[in-house]
């Protein structure tokens, strides 16, 4: 059976690799002359995602972290998630994924533009049609093909910016800051790597981006940027229509990103792994991808409600961090927070009911509006479980 993949960004490469590893005949088409460029992602992943990607992730590893400092306006909590968090060299990662594909006999056509795609699984390249049992469409947020087919992501995006620089301050852990002065509608980040840091932020208003980056640079002790890169940051939720016939849309084109962070490596690696596993068991590959996308979409829809509760209530987040530190909840949750499964955050504190009660009581006094938001969050999480796709 034959799989056609359009787009050789991370999502396209991941699906191609997952099927090729199971022995499927795979063709990859990429309109640019190289993969992994230009980068726009910071490359932060969990240990689980490292395993899903496989050897290319391990070989492109830049650094591991045991903790993240999360907070706003000078109030932070040191959070140690389960497993570890890693920083990958995104350009190297995708180059290594390409190498593995070629070693598996996958035909990768760089600098090749697909002119037409039909729902029955046909792709036109240079005027000639090719038929596939499943077409994985990873043509990116701005892609024209998924839009022509009436599928894929049409939700909100921010503009994100990363800068590589040297810092006067020493950082051991990742810093995630939700202060409005450093980001607008999102958060900023400081990621220490050997010899330098990667700092970044995202905003709804592009005119504010330079202002926010300058403020973040001052906070991080950075005077001069060595390299700057960026791109769209999607806020989700994933598209309601992720397929048409045998054509299935993935990656940014489908909004398959974690809504709290905009990270797409975990959801696409998971979907690709699930799809190839089902196909190996005899499920039609197009059906397998559709079922995998449905499973991952339910998870991301649930994450979307958690992301809204956090990003739209940054003042309450600051108070919650402070109260968690005071009550000892932060330390009690050591090793129990899943870096990928943000929809589980509201339930984590239930294993520490007395400390959680102190946080809730404090929020009821300091941020009364959070009680209404909590009810909305619970309703959204319940609804996401009934999502049909």
């Amino acid at each position: 059976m034959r799989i056609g993949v359009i787009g050789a960004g991370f999502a396209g490469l991941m699906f191609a690799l997952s099927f090729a590893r199971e022995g499927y005949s795979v063709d990859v088409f990429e309109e640019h002359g190289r993969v992994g460029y230009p980068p726009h992602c910071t490359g932060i992943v969990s240990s689980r995602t490292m395993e899903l990607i496989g050897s290319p992730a391990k070989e492109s590893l830049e650094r591991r972290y045991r903790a993240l400092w999360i907070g706003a306006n000078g109030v932070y909590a040191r959070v140690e998630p389960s497993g570890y968090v890693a920083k990958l060299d995104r350009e190297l990662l995708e180059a290594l994924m390409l190498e593995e594909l070629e070693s598996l006999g996958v035909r990768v056509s760089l600098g090749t533009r697909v002119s037409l795609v039909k729902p029955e699984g046909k792709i036109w390249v240079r005027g000639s049609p090719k038929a596939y049992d499943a077409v994985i469409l990873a043509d990116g947020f701005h892609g024209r093909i998924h839009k022509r087919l009436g599928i894929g992501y049409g939700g909100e995006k921010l503009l994100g910016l990363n800068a590589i620089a040297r810092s006067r301050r020493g950082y051991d852990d990742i810093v995630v800051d939700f202060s409005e002065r450093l980001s607008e509608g999102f958060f900023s980040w400081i990621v220490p790597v050997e010899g330098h840091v990667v700092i970044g932020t995202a905003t709804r208003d592009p005119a504010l981006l330079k202002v926010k980056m300058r403020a973040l640079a001052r906070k991080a002790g950075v005077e001069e940027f060595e390299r700057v890169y960026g791109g769209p940051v999607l806020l989700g939720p994933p598209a309601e229509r992720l397929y048409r016939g045998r054509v299935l849309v993935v990656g940014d084109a489908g909004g398959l990103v974690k809504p709290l962070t905009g990270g797409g490596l975990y959801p696409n690696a998971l979907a690709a792994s699930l799809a190839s596993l089902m196909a190996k068991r005899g499920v039609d590959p197009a059906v397998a991808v559709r079922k995998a996308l449905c499973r991952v979409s339910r998870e991301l829809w649930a994450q979307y409600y958690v992301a809204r509760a956090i990003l739209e209530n940054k003042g309450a987040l600051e108070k919650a961090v402070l109260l968690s530190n005071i009550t000892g909840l932060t330390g009690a949750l050591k090793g129990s927070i899943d870096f990928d499964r943000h929809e589980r955050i509201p339930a984590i504190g239930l294993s520490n009911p007395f400390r959680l009660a102190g946080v809730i009581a404090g929020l009821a006094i300091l941020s009364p509006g959070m009680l209404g938001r909590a009810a909305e969050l619970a309703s959204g999480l319940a609804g996401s479980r009934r999502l049909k796709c």
Side-chain angles (χ1 to χ4, degrees), residues 6 31 113-119 137-157 232 234 239 241-244 247-255:
I6 302 173
E31 65 179 354
R113 188 181 181 91
V114 172
S115 57
L116 182 65
V117 176
K118 291 287 188 178
L137 185 52
D139 59 341
F141 174 77
H142 297 291
R144 71 194 189 284
I145 299 175
H146 74 266
K147 293 175 182 177
R148 288 177 183 171
L149 290 170
I151 55 178
Y153 184 74
E156 187 178 6
K157 73 172 178 68
L234 311 189
R241 293 196 63 189
L242 287 168
Y243 64 91
R244 186 175 173 190
V247 181
L248 306 111
V249 63
V250 303
D252 283 2

Coordinates of all heavy atoms in Angstrom, one line a residue, residues 6 31 113-119 137-157 232 234 239 241-244 247-255:
I6 N 2.6 15.2 1.7 CA 2.9 16.6 1.1 C 3.3 17.5 2.2 O 2.6 17.8 3.1 CB 1.6 17.1 0.4 CG1 1.2 16.1 -0.7 CG2 1.9 18.5 -0.2 CD1 -0.2 16.5 -1.3
E31 N 8.1 21.4 -1.4 CA 8.3 22.5 -2.4 C 9.6 23.2 -2.2 O 10.1 23.8 -3.1 CB 7.1 23.4 -2.4 CG 6.9 24.3 -1.2 CD 5.7 25.2 -1.3 OE1 5.2 25.3 -2.4 OE2 5.4 25.9 -0.3
R113 N 6.8 21.0 -6.3 CA 5.5 21.5 -5.9 C 4.3 20.7 -6.4 O 4.3 20.3 -7.6 CB 5.4 22.9 -6.6 CG 4.1 23.7 -6.1 CD 4.2 25.1 -6.9 NE 3.1 25.9 -6.5 CZ 3.1 26.8 -5.5 NH1 4.2 27.0 -4.8 NH2 2.0 27.6 -5.2
V114 N 3.4 20.3 -5.5 CA 2.2 19.6 -5.8 C 1.2 20.5 -6.3 O 0.9 21.5 -5.7 CB 1.7 18.8 -4.6 CG1 0.4 18.2 -4.9 CG2 2.7 17.7 -4.2
S115 N 0.7 20.3 -7.5 CA -0.2 21.3 -8.1 C -1.7 21.0 -7.8 O -2.5 21.9 -7.8 CB -0.1 21.3 -9.7 OG -0.3 20.0 -10.2
L116 N -2.1 19.7 -7.5 CA -3.5 19.4 -7.3 C -3.6 18.1 -6.5 O -2.7 17.2 -6.6 CB -4.2 19.2 -8.6 CG -5.7 18.9 -8.6 CD1 -6.5 20.1 -8.1 CD2 -6.2 18.5 -10.0
V117 N -4.6 18.1 -5.6 CA -4.8 16.9 -4.8 C -6.3 16.7 -4.8 O -7.1 17.6 -4.6 CB -4.4 17.1 -3.3 CG1 -4.8 15.9 -2.5 CG2 -2.9 17.4 -3.2
K118 N -6.7 15.4 -5.1 CA -8.1 15.0 -5.1 C -8.4 14.1 -3.9 O -7.6 13.4 -3.4 CB -8.4 14.2 -6.4 CG -8.3 15.1 -7.7 CD -9.5 16.0 -7.8 CE -9.6 16.7 -9.1 NZ -10.8 17.6 -9.2
P119 N -9.7 14.2 -3.4 CA -10.1 13.5 -2.2 C -9.9 12.0 -2.3 O -9.7 11.3 -1.3 CB -11.5 13.9 -2.0 CG -11.7 15.2 -2.6 CD -10.8 15.2 -3.8
L137 N -1.5 15.3 4.4 CA -1.3 16.7 3.9 C -0.8 17.6 5.1 O -1.4 17.9 6.0 CB -2.7 17.3 3.4 CG -2.7 18.7 2.8 CD1 -1.7 18.8 1.7 CD2 -4.1 18.9 2.3
A138 N 0.5 18.0 4.9 CA 1.2 18.7 6.0 C 1.8 20.0 5.3 O 3.0 20.3 5.4 CB 2.3 17.9 6.6
D139 N 0.9 20.8 4.7 CA 1.3 22.0 4.0 C 1.4 23.2 4.8 O 1.5 24.3 4.2 CB 0.4 22.1 2.7 CG -1.0 22.4 3.0 OD1 -1.5 22.0 4.1 OD2 -1.8 22.9 2.1
G140 N 1.3 23.1 6.1 CA 1.5 24.3 7.0 C 0.3 25.2 7.1 O -0.7 25.1 6.4
F141 N 0.5 26.1 8.1 CA -0.6 27.1 8.4 C -1.1 27.8 7.1 O -2.2 28.1 6.9 CB -0.2 28.0 9.5 CG -1.2 29.1 9.8 CD1 -2.3 28.8 10.5 CD2 -1.0 30.4 9.3 CE1 -3.2 29.8 10.8 CE2 -1.9 31.4 9.6 CZ -3.0 31.1 10.3
H142 N -0.1 28.3 6.3 CA -0.4 29.1 5.1 C -0.7 28.2 3.9 O -0.8 28.8 2.8 CB 0.8 30.1 4.9 CG 1.0 31.0 6.0 ND1 0.1 32.1 6.3 CD2 2.1 31.2 6.8 CE1 0.6 32.8 7.3 NE2 1.8 32.2 7.6
G143 N -0.7 26.9 4.0 CA -0.8 26.1 2.9 C -2.1 26.3 2.0 O -3.2 26.5 2.6
R144 N -1.9 26.2 0.7 CA -3.0 26.5 -0.1 C -3.9 25.2 -0.4 O -5.1 25.3 -0.7 CB -2.5 27.0 -1.5 CG -1.8 26.0 -2.3 CD -1.0 26.6 -3.5 NE -0.5 25.5 -4.3 CZ 0.5 24.7 -4.0 NH1 1.1 24.8 -2.9 NH2 0.9 23.8 -4.9
I145 N -3.3 24.1 -0.3 CA -3.9 22.8 -0.7 C -5.1 22.5 0.3 O -6.2 22.2 -0.1 CB -2.9 21.7 -0.8 CG1 -1.9 22.0 -1.9 CG2 -3.7 20.4 -1.2 CD1 -0.8 20.9 -2.0
H146 N -4.8 22.5 1.6 CA -5.8 22.1 2.5 C -7.0 23.2 2.5 O -8.1 22.8 2.7 CB -5.3 22.0 3.9 CG -4.9 23.3 4.6 ND1 -3.6 23.8 4.6 CD2 -5.6 24.1 5.4 CE1 -3.6 24.9 5.4 NE2 -4.8 25.1 5.8
K147 N -6.6 24.4 2.2 CA -7.7 25.4 2.1 C -8.6 25.2 0.9 O -9.8 25.3 0.9 CB -7.1 26.8 2.0 CG -6.4 27.2 3.3 CD -5.6 28.5 3.2 CE -4.9 28.9 4.5 NZ -4.1 30.1 4.4
R148 N -8.0 24.8 -0.2 CA -8.8 24.4 -1.4 C -9.7 23.3 -1.2 O -10.8 23.2 -1.7 CB -7.9 24.1 -2.6 CG -7.1 25.3 -3.2 CD -6.2 24.8 -4.3 NE -5.4 25.9 -4.9 CZ -4.4 25.7 -5.7 NH1 -4.1 24.5 -6.1 NH2 -3.7 26.8 -6.2
L149 N -9.3 22.3 -0.3 CA -10.1 21.2 0.0 C -11.1 21.4 1.0 O -12.0 20.6 1.3 CB -9.2 20.0 0.4 CG -8.3 19.4 -0.7 CD1 -7.3 18.4 -0.1 CD2 -9.2 18.6 -1.7
G150 N -11.1 22.6 1.7 CA -12.1 22.9 2.7 C -11.9 22.2 4.0 O -12.8 22.0 4.8
I151 N -10.6 21.9 4.3 CA -10.3 21.2 5.6 C -9.1 21.9 6.2 O -8.5 22.8 5.6 CB -9.9 19.7 5.3 CG1 -8.8 19.6 4.3 CG2 -11.1 18.9 4.9 CD1 -8.3 18.2 4.1
G152 N -8.9 21.6 7.5 CA -7.8 22.2 8.2 C -8.1 23.4 9.1 O -9.2 23.8 9.2
Y153 N -7.1 23.9 9.7 CA -7.2 24.9 10.7 C -7.5 26.3 10.2 O -6.9 26.8 9.2 CB -5.8 25.0 11.5 CG -5.8 26.0 12.7 CD1 -6.5 25.6 13.8 CD2 -5.2 27.2 12.6 CE1 -6.5 26.4 14.9 CE2 -5.1 28.0 13.7 CZ -5.8 27.6 14.9 OH -5.8 28.5 16.0
G154 N -8.5 27.0 10.9 CA -8.8 28.3 10.5 C -9.0 29.2 11.7 O -9.7 30.2 11.7
G155 N -8.4 28.8 12.8 CA -8.5 29.5 14.1 C -7.5 30.6 14.3 O -6.8 31.0 13.4
E156 N -7.4 31.0 15.6 CA -6.5 32.1 15.9 C -5.0 31.8 15.9 O -4.6 30.7 16.2 CB -6.9 32.6 17.3 CG -6.2 33.9 17.7 CD -6.6 34.4 19.1 OE1 -7.4 33.7 19.8 OE2 -6.2 35.5 19.5
K157 N -4.2 32.8 15.5 CA -2.8 32.6 15.6 C -2.2 33.9 16.2 O -2.7 35.0 16.2 CB -2.2 32.4 14.2 CG -2.2 33.6 13.3 CD -1.4 33.3 12.0 CE -1.4 34.5 11.1 NZ -0.7 35.7 11.7
P232 N 4.2 31.7 12.9 CA 2.9 31.7 13.6 C 2.9 30.7 14.8 O 3.5 29.7 14.8 CB 2.0 31.2 12.5 CG 2.8 30.4 11.5 CD 4.2 31.1 11.6
L234 N 0.0 28.9 16.9 CA -1.4 28.6 16.9 C -2.0 28.3 18.3 O -1.3 27.7 19.1 CB -1.7 27.3 16.0 CG -1.1 27.3 14.6 CD1 -1.6 26.1 13.8 CD2 -1.3 28.6 13.9
A239 N -8.6 21.7 14.1 CA -9.7 21.9 13.1 C -10.8 20.8 13.3 O -10.5 19.7 13.7 CB -9.1 21.7 11.7
R241 N -12.6 19.7 10.8 CA -12.5 18.9 9.6 C -11.1 18.6 9.3 O -10.4 19.5 8.9 CB -13.2 19.5 8.4 CG -14.7 19.6 8.6 CD -15.4 19.9 7.2 NE -15.2 18.8 6.3 CZ -15.5 18.8 5.0 NH1 -16.0 19.9 4.5 NH2 -15.3 17.8 4.2
L242 N -10.6 17.4 9.6 CA -9.2 17.0 9.4 C -9.0 16.1 8.3 O -7.9 15.6 8.0 CB -8.7 16.4 10.7 CG -8.4 17.4 11.9 CD1 -8.2 16.6 13.2 CD2 -7.3 18.3 11.5
Y243 N -10.1 15.8 7.5 CA -9.9 14.9 6.4 C -11.0 15.1 5.4 O -12.1 15.6 5.7 CB -9.9 13.4 6.8 CG -11.2 12.9 7.5 CD1 -12.1 12.3 6.7 CD2 -11.4 13.1 8.8 CE1 -13.3 11.9 7.2 CE2 -12.6 12.6 9.4 CZ -13.6 12.0 8.6 OH -14.7 11.6 9.1
R244 N -10.7 14.7 4.2 CA -11.7 14.6 3.1 C -11.3 13.4 2.2 O -10.3 13.5 1.6 CB -11.7 15.9 2.3 CG -12.8 15.9 1.3 CD -12.9 17.3 0.6 NE -13.9 17.2 -0.5 CZ -14.0 18.2 -1.4 NH1 -13.3 19.3 -1.3 NH2 -14.9 18.1 -2.4
V247 N -7.6 12.0 2.0 CA -6.7 13.1 2.2 C -6.9 13.5 3.7 O -8.0 13.9 4.1 CB -6.9 14.3 1.3 CG1 -5.9 15.4 1.6 CG2 -6.8 13.8 -0.2
L248 N -5.8 13.5 4.5 CA -5.8 13.8 5.9 C -4.8 14.9 6.2 O -3.7 14.8 5.8 CB -5.5 12.5 6.7 CG -6.5 11.4 6.3 CD1 -5.6 10.3 5.5 CD2 -7.2 10.8 7.4
V249 N -5.3 16.0 6.9 CA -4.4 17.1 7.2 C -3.9 17.0 8.6 O -4.5 16.7 9.5 CB -5.2 18.4 7.0 CG1 -6.4 18.5 7.9 CG2 -4.3 19.6 7.1
V250 N -2.6 17.3 8.7 CA -1.8 17.2 10.0 C -1.0 18.4 10.2 O -0.9 19.3 9.4 CB -1.0 15.9 10.0 CG1 -1.8 14.7 9.7 CG2 0.2 16.0 9.0
G251 N -0.3 18.5 11.3 CA 0.6 19.6 11.7 C -0.1 20.9 11.8 O -1.3 20.9 12.2
D252 N 0.6 22.0 11.6 CA 0.0 23.3 11.7 C -1.2 23.5 10.8 O -2.2 24.2 11.1 CB 1.0 24.4 11.4 CG 2.0 24.6 12.5 OD1 1.9 23.9 13.6 OD2 2.8 25.5 12.4
A253 N -1.2 22.8 9.6 CA -2.3 22.9 8.7 C -3.6 22.4 9.3 O -4.7 22.8 8.9 CB -2.0 22.0 7.4
G254 N -3.5 21.5 10.3 CA -4.7 21.0 11.0 C -4.9 21.5 12.3 O -5.8 21.2 13.0
G255 N -4.0 22.4 12.8 CA -4.1 22.9 14.1 C -3.7 21.9 15.2 O -4.2 22.0 16.3

